[in-house]
Amino acid sequence: MMPFIDLATQRERLKDKLDTTISKIISEGRYVLGPEVGELEERLAAFGQVDHALTCANGTDALSLPLLAWELQPGDAVFVPSFTFAATAEVVALLGATPVFVDIDPDTYCMCPKSLAKAIAWTKSQTELKLRVVIAVDLFGQPADYPAISAICKAEGLKLIADSAQGFGCTLNGKHPAAWADISSISFYPAKPLGCYGDGGAVVTRDPNLAGLIKSLRNHGEGEARYSYERIGLNSRLDTLQAGILLAKLDIFSEEITARNTAAQAYAKGFGDVVKTPKVIDGGVSVWAQYTIEVDDRDTFRSKLNEAGVPTAIYYPVPIHLQDPYAGFPVAPGGLPVTETASPRVVSLPMDSYLEGERQETVIRAVRAALT
Ligand SMILES: Cc1ncc(COP(=O)(O)O)c(C=O)c1O
């Protein structure tokens, strides 16, 4: 069976650099918030076209930190898609606030601005709920419709988070999500397009005040003086080893994004005539965290691919609003028909920066054989 995500080829490519970095960091002994962390933050800010980047322990904390900075509380409504990883809604519920679930666009799988507008109108009629934040997700690595979503946020006085856990590096009309969003939240989980060798996360933002608050919050709410605290925070720091590993990977990240786009084009050319392939928003460049297609009989399709030695995965089999812990939270008026239609049909194929040649041909042949 071929790998679903090939991390080994990249590891081999960067072996010397990674080995040198890792042994340097271990021998220097500054394991938490060492110099590589600051260097990585500068490089991430430059890559994301903003002035401020702060690393943290994982992509989930990267979502919690701005919500803590904005002092989210019970009664606050946060608009989130349901077709996403649990963390997007989890961070809201964990703070005692209310996730309001919004439908997605059927082509891009990202938040639908029309459904968002309907959800906002309904929430305004609920006296116990206050409009606070929208979390748009760059699902599967492609940018959400930020021009439309940020216009709604501005008109309604809502903060906007780009949950770019899967999407760091994606652009829309040449700009990164943080050009529209108040903040962009990133995950460096190993399988992500820019992944480390453990857990890791970061935020990037144009807003110096928000960056200052998050710098304090990620380290227990510390103040200027050591062991003085200005707020209640978290222990959410990136360790120096992960920062060193990410610095090595960031050097080749642009090249890898191009390779992922080449692989996505080869898939579309290879089987776009027999199955629904993903469509990126006009002007958008995806980083292809996942390559997701839609089929009628998913179980049969998956077992045929499995027999051909091609692994597949389902992102996501059950939308969040239909899972027990989230079933009591509101959904946009009219429900989430696009989300509920997509989830039994979607299936993701192998995708990474080193997908080419015979390995990709094998996937294309298997998809065609299973569907024709
Ligand atoms: C959309 C989305 N948001 C948030 C997260 C959370 O990131 P982490 O696993 O680094 O906490 C993920 C991770 O898979 C994700 O896909």
Side-chain angles (χ1 to χ4, degrees):
M1 182 78 68
M2 68 172 72
F4 183 68
I5 298 179
D6 171 12
L7 296 177
T9 303
Q10 186 204 50
R11 205 164 57 233
E12 200 48 44
R13 178 179 175 190
L14 295 177
K15 191 174 180 314
D16 292 345
K17 211 176 200 177
L18 288 171
D19 288 351
T20 310
T21 298
I22 289 169
S23 59
K24 174 179 170 283
I25 292 169
I26 290 175
S27 61
E28 283 178 357
R30 291 152 83 182
Y31 304 125
V32 175
L33 295 182
E36 283 77 3
V37 174
E39 192 186 336
L40 176 66
E41 289 173 344
E42 275 175 28
R43 297 263 313 271
L44 289 172
F47 197 95
Q49 300 169 340
V50 291
D51 285 338
H52 310 279
L54 289 156
T55 51
C56 60
N58 53 64
T60 306
D61 285 357
L63 291 167
S64 293
L65 285 162
L67 299 179
L68 286 167
W70 294 327
E71 298 180 8
L72 210 75
Q73 43 188 300
D76 288 343
V78 179
F79 300 89
V80 296
S82 171
F83 196 61
T84 179
F85 182 64
T88 315
E90 177 190 45
V91 292
V92 178
L94 213 52
L95 288 172
T98 301
V100 180
F101 290 106
V102 174
D103 214 355
I104 50 164
D105 177 276
D107 289 326
T108 66
Y109 304 116
C110 291
M111 181 181 268
C112 167
K114 285 197 186 111
S115 176
L116 172 63
K118 280 199 231 165
I120 290 173
W122 174 83
T123 305
K124 279 174 156 175
S125 71
Q126 306 297 303
T127 46
E128 74 285 6
L129 288 176
K130 193 170 161 210
L131 305 185
R132 288 299 303 277
V133 181
V134 172
I135 307 181
V137 178
D138 298 328
L139 199 75
F140 303 150
Q142 79 147 300
D145 187 350
Y146 288 107
I149 293 170
S150 67
I152 294 172
C153 290
K154 272 210 180 87
E156 301 290 352
L158 284 148
K159 299 281 190 198
L160 175 57
I161 298 178
D163 179 349
S164 223
Q166 304 179 11
F168 183 58
C170 75
T171 55
L172 181 55
N173 304 325
K175 296 195 278 191
H176 288 252
W180 291 274
D182 292 282
I183 193 159
S184 204
S185 304
I186 304 160
S187 167
F188 300 127
Y189 185 79
K192 297 289 191 272
L194 181 63
C196 57
Y197 290 157
D199 274 309
V203 293
V204 293
T205 178
R206 287 166 289 128
D207 181 344
N209 293 328
L210 185 56
L213 284 170
I214 288 176
K215 190 165 187 200
S216 162
L217 283 164
R218 74 163 174 193
N219 201 12
H220 302 287
E222 68 175 0
E224 286 295 319
R226 196 132 196 243
Y227 300 120
S228 74
Y229 301 99
E230 292 179 358
R231 53 193 61 80
I232 293 174
L234 303 174
N235 171 4
S236 185
R237 301 170 303 229
L238 184 75
D239 66 71
T240 314
L241 275 172
Q242 301 305 341
I245 289 159
L246 286 164
L247 278 168
K249 291 192 176 200
L250 200 52
D251 283 343
I252 58 167
F253 190 41
S254 292
E255 208 183 290
E256 291 187 333
I257 293 173
T258 305
R260 286 168 177 270
N261 277 281
T262 304
Q265 278 161 16
Y267 269 160
K269 191 161 170 256
F271 49 62
D273 56 328
V274 294
V275 68
K276 184 180 175 213
T277 53
K279 186 174 173 299
V280 177
I281 187 172
D282 283 348
V285 175
S286 178
V287 293
W288 299 103
Q290 301 298 340
Y291 191 93
T292 303
I293 59 173
E294 280 187 40
V295 294
D296 295 330
D297 181 354
R298 186 164 68 190
D299 289 345
T300 308
F301 178 80
R302 291 189 81 192
S303 59
K304 283 184 180 167
L305 260 67
N306 192 47
E307 279 162 28
V310 176
T312 54
I314 308 300
Y315 303 110
Y316 293 94
V318 183
I320 306 300
H321 73 289
L322 298 179
Q323 310 246 5
D324 281 350
Y326 297 92
F329 293 118
V331 299
L336 308 182
V338 183
T339 298
E340 289 177 23
T341 304
S343 56
R345 295 175 52 79
V346 286
V347 52
S348 302
L349 300 174
M351 171 53 79
D352 54 66
S353 309
Y354 300 88
L355 178 68
E356 58 182 1
E358 185 47 35
R359 181 165 156 247
Q360 187 165 28
E361 287 303 322
T362 304
V363 183
I364 291 171
R365 273 198 306 273
V367 170
R368 292 196 74 87
L371 295 173
T372 53

